[in-house]
mmCIF file of all heavy atoms in Angstrom:
data_model
loop_
_atom_site.group_PDB
_atom_site.id
_atom_site.type_symbol
_atom_site.label_atom_id
_atom_site.label_comp_id
_atom_site.label_asym_id
_atom_site.label_seq_id
_atom_site.Cartn_x
_atom_site.Cartn_y
_atom_site.Cartn_z
ATOM 1 N N ASN A 1 -1.596 21.113 -33.109
ATOM 2 C CA ASN A 1 -0.684 22.137 -33.611
ATOM 3 C C ASN A 1 0.737 21.563 -33.634
ATOM 4 O O ASN A 1 1.002 20.510 -33.037
ATOM 5 C CB ASN A 1 -0.786 23.407 -32.765
ATOM 6 C CG ASN A 1 -0.465 23.162 -31.302
ATOM 7 O OD1 ASN A 1 0.648 22.761 -30.970
ATOM 8 N ND2 ASN A 1 -1.434 23.403 -30.436
ATOM 9 N N PRO A 2 1.643 22.231 -34.329
ATOM 10 C CA PRO A 2 3.000 21.685 -34.470
ATOM 11 C C PRO A 2 3.695 21.408 -33.139
ATOM 12 O O PRO A 2 4.561 20.520 -33.067
ATOM 13 C CB PRO A 2 3.726 22.768 -35.267
ATOM 14 C CG PRO A 2 2.655 23.377 -36.102
ATOM 15 C CD PRO A 2 1.436 23.391 -35.215
ATOM 16 N N GLU A 3 3.323 22.134 -32.089
ATOM 17 C CA GLU A 3 3.931 21.911 -30.769
ATOM 18 C C GLU A 3 3.526 20.568 -30.171
ATOM 19 O O GLU A 3 4.116 20.125 -29.182
ATOM 20 C CB GLU A 3 3.558 23.040 -29.809
ATOM 21 C CG GLU A 3 4.216 24.383 -30.112
ATOM 22 C CD GLU A 3 3.690 25.018 -31.389
ATOM 23 O OE1 GLU A 3 2.463 24.929 -31.640
ATOM 24 O OE2 GLU A 3 4.505 25.606 -32.150
ATOM 25 N N ASP A 4 2.536 19.922 -30.747
ATOM 26 C CA ASP A 4 2.124 18.599 -30.272
ATOM 27 C C ASP A 4 2.965 17.488 -30.896
ATOM 28 O O ASP A 4 2.812 16.315 -30.533
ATOM 29 C CB ASP A 4 0.652 18.343 -30.599
ATOM 30 C CG ASP A 4 -0.285 19.300 -29.876
ATOM 31 O OD1 ASP A 4 -0.080 19.519 -28.659
ATOM 32 O OD2 ASP A 4 -1.216 19.823 -30.519
ATOM 33 N N THR A 5 3.823 17.824 -31.821
ATOM 34 C CA THR A 5 4.668 16.824 -32.464
ATOM 35 C C THR A 5 5.606 16.184 -31.442
ATOM 36 O O THR A 5 6.333 16.876 -30.733
ATOM 37 C CB THR A 5 5.498 17.467 -33.583
ATOM 38 O OG1 THR A 5 4.605 17.921 -34.613
ATOM 39 C CG2 THR A 5 6.490 16.481 -34.175
ATOM 40 N N ALA A 6 5.551 14.869 -31.371
ATOM 41 C CA ALA A 6 6.349 14.134 -30.388
ATOM 42 C C ALA A 6 6.108 12.635 -30.568
ATOM 43 O O ALA A 6 5.206 12.233 -31.307
ATOM 44 C CB ALA A 6 5.972 14.537 -28.966
ATOM 45 N N VAL A 7 6.900 11.864 -29.864
ATOM 46 C CA VAL A 7 6.586 10.444 -29.696
ATOM 47 C C VAL A 7 5.717 10.325 -28.451
ATOM 48 O O VAL A 7 6.079 10.848 -27.390
ATOM 49 C CB VAL A 7 7.857 9.590 -29.557
ATOM 50 C CG1 VAL A 7 7.474 8.127 -29.339
ATOM 51 C CG2 VAL A 7 8.744 9.745 -30.784
ATOM 52 N N TYR A 8 4.601 9.675 -28.596
ATOM 53 C CA TYR A 8 3.646 9.525 -27.507
ATOM 54 C C TYR A 8 3.747 8.115 -26.923
ATOM 55 O O TYR A 8 3.737 7.123 -27.669
ATOM 56 C CB TYR A 8 2.235 9.795 -27.994
ATOM 57 C CG TYR A 8 1.954 11.265 -28.190
ATOM 58 C CD1 TYR A 8 2.542 11.976 -29.224
ATOM 59 C CD2 TYR A 8 1.110 11.951 -27.311
ATOM 60 C CE1 TYR A 8 2.303 13.330 -29.397
ATOM 61 C CE2 TYR A 8 0.865 13.304 -27.483
ATOM 62 C CZ TYR A 8 1.467 13.984 -28.517
ATOM 63 O OH TYR A 8 1.227 15.331 -28.674
ATOM 64 N N TYR A 9 3.809 8.063 -25.599
ATOM 65 C CA TYR A 9 3.968 6.803 -24.897
ATOM 66 C C TYR A 9 2.793 6.560 -23.959
ATOM 67 O O TYR A 9 2.380 7.472 -23.230
ATOM 68 C CB TYR A 9 5.249 6.793 -24.069
ATOM 69 C CG TYR A 9 6.513 6.923 -24.873
ATOM 70 C CD1 TYR A 9 7.048 8.182 -25.148
ATOM 71 C CD2 TYR A 9 7.178 5.802 -25.351
ATOM 72 C CE1 TYR A 9 8.212 8.317 -25.881
ATOM 73 C CE2 TYR A 9 8.347 5.918 -26.086
ATOM 74 C CZ TYR A 9 8.852 7.185 -26.346
ATOM 75 O OH TYR A 9 10.008 7.305 -27.077
ATOM 76 N N CYS A 10 2.333 5.349 -23.957
ATOM 77 C CA CYS A 10 1.335 4.886 -23.003
ATOM 78 C C CYS A 10 2.073 4.307 -21.797
ATOM 79 O O CYS A 10 3.101 3.635 -21.960
ATOM 80 C CB CYS A 10 0.494 3.816 -23.702
ATOM 81 S SG CYS A 10 -0.567 2.827 -22.656
ATOM 82 N N ALA A 11 1.574 4.558 -20.603
ATOM 83 C CA ALA A 11 2.229 4.058 -19.397
ATOM 84 C C ALA A 11 1.200 3.626 -18.366
ATOM 85 O O ALA A 11 0.093 4.169 -18.323
ATOM 86 C CB ALA A 11 3.139 5.138 -18.816
ATOM 87 N N ALA A 12 1.602 2.669 -17.537
ATOM 88 C CA ALA A 12 0.711 2.127 -16.511
ATOM 89 C C ALA A 12 1.402 2.126 -15.166
ATOM 90 O O ALA A 12 2.580 1.774 -15.054
ATOM 91 C CB ALA A 12 0.280 0.710 -16.883
ATOM 92 N N LEU A 13 0.653 2.496 -14.141
ATOM 93 C CA LEU A 13 1.148 2.575 -12.767
ATOM 94 C C LEU A 13 0.216 1.754 -11.891
ATOM 95 O O LEU A 13 -0.979 2.085 -11.797
ATOM 96 C CB LEU A 13 1.163 4.034 -12.340
ATOM 97 C CG LEU A 13 1.663 4.455 -10.971
ATOM 98 C CD1 LEU A 13 1.839 5.971 -10.956
ATOM 99 C CD2 LEU A 13 0.742 4.078 -9.837
ATOM 100 N N GLU A 14 0.749 0.733 -11.265
ATOM 101 C CA GLU A 14 -0.092 -0.073 -10.379
ATOM 102 C C GLU A 14 -0.390 0.709 -9.101
ATOM 103 O O GLU A 14 0.528 1.249 -8.470
ATOM 104 C CB GLU A 14 0.583 -1.399 -10.038
ATOM 105 C CG GLU A 14 -0.333 -2.363 -9.305
ATOM 106 C CD GLU A 14 0.259 -3.753 -9.199
ATOM 107 O OE1 GLU A 14 1.473 -3.910 -9.466
ATOM 108 O OE2 GLU A 14 -0.482 -4.682 -8.839
ATOM 109 N N SER A 15 -1.664 0.769 -8.749
ATOM 110 C CA SER A 15 -2.055 1.581 -7.607
ATOM 111 C C SER A 15 -3.193 0.923 -6.838
ATOM 112 O O SER A 15 -4.040 0.252 -7.421
ATOM 113 C CB SER A 15 -2.496 2.969 -8.073
ATOM 114 O OG SER A 15 -2.993 3.730 -6.998
ATOM 115 N N SER A 16 -3.192 1.172 -5.535
ATOM 116 C CA SER A 16 -4.278 0.682 -4.684
ATOM 117 C C SER A 16 -5.412 1.678 -4.574
ATOM 118 O O SER A 16 -6.463 1.353 -4.016
ATOM 119 C CB SER A 16 -3.743 0.381 -3.283
ATOM 120 O OG SER A 16 -2.728 -0.595 -3.325
ATOM 121 N N TYR A 17 -5.196 2.885 -5.101
ATOM 122 C CA TYR A 17 -6.149 3.966 -4.926
ATOM 123 C C TYR A 17 -7.006 4.164 -6.157
ATOM 124 O O TYR A 17 -6.499 4.314 -7.266
ATOM 125 C CB TYR A 17 -5.413 5.258 -4.574
ATOM 126 C CG TYR A 17 -4.599 5.122 -3.327
ATOM 127 C CD1 TYR A 17 -3.217 4.967 -3.384
ATOM 128 C CD2 TYR A 17 -5.201 5.111 -2.066
ATOM 129 C CE1 TYR A 17 -2.464 4.824 -2.246
ATOM 130 C CE2 TYR A 17 -4.452 4.960 -0.914
ATOM 131 C CZ TYR A 17 -3.082 4.819 -1.015
ATOM 132 O OH TYR A 17 -2.335 4.669 0.119
ATOM 133 N N THR A 18 -8.296 4.235 -5.951
ATOM 134 C CA THR A 18 -9.237 4.279 -7.057
ATOM 135 C C THR A 18 -9.166 5.575 -7.857
ATOM 136 O O THR A 18 -9.331 5.569 -9.073
ATOM 137 C CB THR A 18 -10.665 4.097 -6.529
ATOM 138 O OG1 THR A 18 -10.739 2.886 -5.797
ATOM 139 C CG2 THR A 18 -11.670 4.062 -7.663
ATOM 140 N N TYR A 19 -8.909 6.709 -7.177
ATOM 141 C CA TYR A 19 -8.990 8.011 -7.832
ATOM 142 C C TYR A 19 -7.633 8.702 -7.972
ATOM 143 O O TYR A 19 -7.558 9.871 -8.301
ATOM 144 C CB TYR A 19 -9.946 8.924 -7.065
ATOM 145 C CG TYR A 19 -11.357 8.403 -7.068
ATOM 146 C CD1 TYR A 19 -11.887 7.776 -5.943
ATOM 147 C CD2 TYR A 19 -12.150 8.505 -8.204
ATOM 148 C CE1 TYR A 19 -13.178 7.270 -5.957
ATOM 149 C CE2 TYR A 19 -13.436 8.007 -8.222
ATOM 150 C CZ TYR A 19 -13.945 7.391 -7.097
ATOM 151 O OH TYR A 19 -15.219 6.891 -7.112
ATOM 152 N N TYR A 20 -6.568 7.976 -7.778
ATOM 153 C CA TYR A 20 -5.229 8.556 -7.828
ATOM 154 C C TYR A 20 -4.719 8.667 -9.254
ATOM 155 O O TYR A 20 -4.952 7.769 -10.074
ATOM 156 C CB TYR A 20 -4.271 7.688 -7.017
ATOM 157 C CG TYR A 20 -2.828 8.135 -7.046
ATOM 158 C CD1 TYR A 20 -2.442 9.295 -6.381
ATOM 159 C CD2 TYR A 20 -1.866 7.399 -7.711
ATOM 160 C CE1 TYR A 20 -1.121 9.701 -6.388
ATOM 161 C CE2 TYR A 20 -0.552 7.788 -7.735
ATOM 162 C CZ TYR A 20 -0.179 8.942 -7.072
ATOM 163 O OH TYR A 20 1.125 9.342 -7.090
ATOM 164 N N VAL A 21 -4.066 9.789 -9.559
ATOM 165 C CA VAL A 21 -3.307 9.915 -10.796
ATOM 166 C C VAL A 21 -1.937 10.469 -10.435
ATOM 167 O O VAL A 21 -1.782 11.144 -9.420
ATOM 168 C CB VAL A 21 -3.982 10.844 -11.841
ATOM 169 C CG1 VAL A 21 -5.282 10.233 -12.343
ATOM 170 C CG2 VAL A 21 -4.211 12.233 -11.282
ATOM 171 N N SER A 22 -0.963 10.214 -11.255
ATOM 172 C CA SER A 22 0.385 10.694 -11.008
ATOM 173 C C SER A 22 0.919 11.412 -12.239
ATOM 174 O O SER A 22 0.680 10.974 -13.372
ATOM 175 C CB SER A 22 1.308 9.534 -10.657
ATOM 176 O OG SER A 22 2.656 9.979 -10.598
ATOM 177 N N ARG A 23 1.660 12.488 -11.982
ATOM 178 C CA ARG A 23 2.303 13.227 -13.071
ATOM 179 C C ARG A 23 3.768 12.835 -13.231
ATOM 180 O O ARG A 23 4.429 13.314 -14.141
ATOM 181 C CB ARG A 23 2.208 14.726 -12.804
ATOM 182 C CG ARG A 23 0.816 15.284 -13.012
ATOM 183 C CD ARG A 23 0.773 16.750 -12.696
ATOM 184 N NE ARG A 23 0.604 17.005 -11.286
ATOM 185 C CZ ARG A 23 0.544 18.220 -10.755
ATOM 186 N NH1 ARG A 23 0.657 19.278 -11.509
ATOM 187 N NH2 ARG A 23 0.359 18.368 -9.475
ATOM 188 N N ARG A 24 4.255 11.982 -12.332
ATOM 189 C CA ARG A 24 5.686 11.652 -12.323
ATOM 190 C C ARG A 24 5.967 10.391 -13.133
ATOM 191 O O ARG A 24 5.500 9.301 -12.796
ATOM 192 C CB ARG A 24 6.177 11.474 -10.892
ATOM 193 C CG ARG A 24 6.191 12.771 -10.101
ATOM 194 C CD ARG A 24 6.916 12.590 -8.779
ATOM 195 N NE ARG A 24 6.155 11.747 -7.868
ATOM 196 C CZ ARG A 24 5.274 12.207 -7.002
ATOM 197 N NH1 ARG A 24 5.021 13.498 -6.947
ATOM 198 N NH2 ARG A 24 4.647 11.377 -6.193
ATOM 199 N N ALA A 25 6.764 10.542 -14.164
ATOM 200 C CA ALA A 25 7.102 9.398 -15.010
ATOM 201 C C ALA A 25 7.768 8.288 -14.213
ATOM 202 O O ALA A 25 7.583 7.100 -14.510
ATOM 203 C CB ALA A 25 8.009 9.848 -16.149
ATOM 204 N N SER A 26 8.530 8.661 -13.203
ATOM 205 C CA SER A 26 9.273 7.671 -12.426
ATOM 206 C C SER A 26 8.351 6.725 -11.656
ATOM 207 O O SER A 26 8.775 5.651 -11.237
ATOM 208 C CB SER A 26 10.212 8.372 -11.446
ATOM 209 O OG SER A 26 9.480 9.204 -10.563
ATOM 210 N N GLU A 27 7.099 7.115 -11.481
ATOM 211 C CA GLU A 27 6.164 6.256 -10.741
ATOM 212 C C GLU A 27 5.547 5.186 -11.618
ATOM 213 O O GLU A 27 5.015 4.196 -11.111
ATOM 214 C CB GLU A 27 5.044 7.098 -10.131
ATOM 215 C CG GLU A 27 5.459 7.929 -8.946
ATOM 216 C CD GLU A 27 4.250 8.416 -8.138
ATOM 217 O OE1 GLU A 27 3.182 7.777 -8.221
ATOM 218 O OE2 GLU A 27 4.379 9.421 -7.442
ATOM 219 N N TYR A 28 5.590 5.371 -12.921
ATOM 220 C CA TYR A 28 4.922 4.428 -13.809
ATOM 221 C C TYR A 28 5.771 3.171 -13.979
ATOM 222 O O TYR A 28 6.984 3.239 -14.182
ATOM 223 C CB TYR A 28 4.607 5.091 -15.149
ATOM 224 C CG TYR A 28 3.451 6.054 -15.020
ATOM 225 C CD1 TYR A 28 3.633 7.310 -14.447
ATOM 226 C CD2 TYR A 28 2.174 5.693 -15.424
ATOM 227 C CE1 TYR A 28 2.563 8.182 -14.301
ATOM 228 C CE2 TYR A 28 1.100 6.559 -15.288
ATOM 229 C CZ TYR A 28 1.301 7.801 -14.717
ATOM 230 O OH TYR A 28 0.246 8.665 -14.565
ATOM 231 N N ASP A 29 5.073 2.030 -13.958
ATOM 232 C CA ASP A 29 5.763 0.746 -13.939
ATOM 233 C C ASP A 29 6.010 0.173 -15.322
ATOM 234 O O ASP A 29 6.994 -0.537 -15.545
ATOM 235 C CB ASP A 29 4.935 -0.263 -13.135
ATOM 236 C CG ASP A 29 4.667 0.202 -11.711
ATOM 237 O OD1 ASP A 29 5.656 0.411 -10.976
ATOM 238 O OD2 ASP A 29 3.486 0.353 -11.346
ATOM 239 N N TYR A 30 5.096 0.431 -16.238
ATOM 240 C CA TYR A 30 5.173 -0.185 -17.557
ATOM 241 C C TYR A 30 4.977 0.868 -18.636
ATOM 242 O O TYR A 30 4.201 1.821 -18.465
ATOM 243 C CB TYR A 30 4.098 -1.282 -17.692
ATOM 244 C CG TYR A 30 4.224 -2.364 -16.658
ATOM 245 C CD1 TYR A 30 3.391 -2.377 -15.553
ATOM 246 C CD2 TYR A 30 5.190 -3.353 -16.783
ATOM 247 C CE1 TYR A 30 3.515 -3.366 -14.587
ATOM 248 C CE2 TYR A 30 5.320 -4.347 -15.830
ATOM 249 C CZ TYR A 30 4.484 -4.349 -14.732
ATOM 250 O OH TYR A 30 4.614 -5.317 -13.783
ATOM 251 N N TRP A 31 5.655 0.654 -19.744
ATOM 252 C CA TRP A 31 5.648 1.605 -20.850
ATOM 253 C C TRP A 31 5.475 0.887 -22.183
ATOM 254 O O TRP A 31 5.979 -0.231 -22.365
ATOM 255 C CB TRP A 31 6.965 2.382 -20.883
ATOM 256 C CG TRP A 31 7.145 3.257 -19.691
ATOM 257 C CD1 TRP A 31 7.607 2.899 -18.457
ATOM 258 C CD2 TRP A 31 6.843 4.645 -19.609
ATOM 259 N NE1 TRP A 31 7.612 3.984 -17.616
ATOM 260 C CE2 TRP A 31 7.154 5.079 -18.301
ATOM 261 C CE3 TRP A 31 6.360 5.584 -20.519
ATOM 262 C CZ2 TRP A 31 6.989 6.398 -17.885
ATOM 263 C CZ3 TRP A 31 6.196 6.894 -20.114
ATOM 264 C CH2 TRP A 31 6.504 7.287 -18.808
ATOM 265 N N GLY A 32 4.800 1.558 -23.095
ATOM 266 C CA GLY A 32 4.741 1.076 -24.459
ATOM 267 C C GLY A 32 5.961 1.539 -25.234
ATOM 268 O O GLY A 32 6.827 2.241 -24.715
ATOM 269 N N GLN A 33 5.988 1.156 -26.488
ATOM 270 C CA GLN A 33 7.154 1.465 -27.320
ATOM 271 C C GLN A 33 7.070 2.848 -27.949
ATOM 272 O O GLN A 33 8.072 3.353 -28.459
ATOM 273 C CB GLN A 33 7.306 0.410 -28.426
ATOM 274 C CG GLN A 33 6.413 0.610 -29.652
ATOM 275 C CD GLN A 33 4.950 0.325 -29.386
ATOM 276 O OE1 GLN A 33 4.575 -0.197 -28.339
ATOM 277 N NE2 GLN A 33 4.108 0.672 -30.352
ATOM 278 N N GLY A 34 5.913 3.453 -27.909
ATOM 279 C CA GLY A 34 5.743 4.800 -28.434
ATOM 280 C C GLY A 34 5.185 4.820 -29.844
ATOM 281 O O GLY A 34 5.375 3.884 -30.622
ATOM 282 N N THR A 35 4.494 5.898 -30.147
ATOM 283 C CA THR A 35 3.964 6.115 -31.492
ATOM 284 C C THR A 35 4.192 7.568 -31.879
ATOM 285 O O THR A 35 3.979 8.469 -31.064
ATOM 286 C CB THR A 35 2.476 5.736 -31.568
ATOM 287 O OG1 THR A 35 2.021 5.814 -32.928
ATOM 288 C CG2 THR A 35 1.603 6.607 -30.687
ATOM 289 N N GLN A 36 4.640 7.792 -33.089
ATOM 290 C CA GLN A 36 5.010 9.136 -33.537
ATOM 291 C C GLN A 36 3.778 9.912 -33.974
ATOM 292 O O GLN A 36 2.947 9.411 -34.733
ATOM 293 C CB GLN A 36 5.998 9.049 -34.704
ATOM 294 C CG GLN A 36 6.385 10.396 -35.294
ATOM 295 C CD GLN A 36 7.267 11.211 -34.368
ATOM 296 O OE1 GLN A 36 8.225 10.688 -33.789
ATOM 297 N NE2 GLN A 36 6.959 12.499 -34.237
ATOM 298 N N VAL A 37 3.703 11.135 -33.497
ATOM 299 C CA VAL A 37 2.690 12.087 -33.954
ATOM 300 C C VAL A 37 3.414 13.290 -34.531
ATOM 301 O O VAL A 37 4.250 13.895 -33.857
ATOM 302 C CB VAL A 37 1.772 12.525 -32.795
ATOM 303 C CG1 VAL A 37 0.862 13.673 -33.248
ATOM 304 C CG2 VAL A 37 0.945 11.349 -32.304
ATOM 305 N N THR A 38 3.109 13.611 -35.765
ATOM 306 C CA THR A 38 3.736 14.737 -36.439
ATOM 307 C C THR A 38 2.656 15.671 -36.957
ATOM 308 O O THR A 38 1.759 15.241 -37.689
ATOM 309 C CB THR A 38 4.616 14.272 -37.604
ATOM 310 O OG1 THR A 38 5.598 13.356 -37.122
ATOM 311 C CG2 THR A 38 5.309 15.453 -38.264
ATOM 312 N N VAL A 39 2.734 16.927 -36.538
ATOM 313 C CA VAL A 39 1.751 17.924 -36.951
ATOM 314 C C VAL A 39 2.474 18.988 -37.758
ATOM 315 O O VAL A 39 3.407 19.624 -37.264
ATOM 316 C CB VAL A 39 1.051 18.556 -35.742
ATOM 317 C CG1 VAL A 39 -0.054 19.502 -36.217
ATOM 318 C CG2 VAL A 39 0.476 17.487 -34.827
ATOM 319 N N SER A 40 2.043 19.179 -38.974
ATOM 320 C CA SER A 40 2.677 20.161 -39.846
ATOM 321 C C SER A 40 1.828 21.422 -39.929
ATOM 322 O O SER A 40 0.604 21.373 -39.834
ATOM 323 C CB SER A 40 2.872 19.576 -41.239
ATOM 324 O OG SER A 40 1.635 19.157 -41.777
ATOM 325 N N SER A 41 2.517 22.534 -40.101
ATOM 326 C CA SER A 41 1.810 23.824 -40.150
ATOM 327 C C SER A 41 1.339 24.149 -41.550
ATOM 328 O O SER A 41 1.706 23.512 -42.512
ATOM 329 C CB SER A 41 2.732 24.927 -39.631
ATOM 330 O OG SER A 41 3.912 24.960 -40.406
#
């Protein structure tokens, strides 16, 4: 839907924990350059 329109970024966080996920952008170590997604109504 149009609310999904954004630049989407891939990110990687080095972790010792097998099942851990993080919601905090500040924890991620590496980032891609982004790809634009545009949804029109």
Side-chain angles (χ1 to χ4, degrees):
N1 59 62
E3 289 69 39
D4 296 315
T5 295
V7 178
Y8 284 70
Y9 297 90
C10 167
L13 182 168
E14 189 170 13
S15 175
S16 300
Y17 301 103
T18 304
Y19 296 103
Y20 177 71
V21 293
S22 172
R23 287 178 277 180
R24 291 190 290 269
S26 59
E27 287 197 23
Y28 286 77
D29 302 300
Y30 301 101
W31 294 82
Q33 81 289 350
T35 186
Q36 177 71 45
V37 171
T38 303
V39 185
S40 58
S41 58

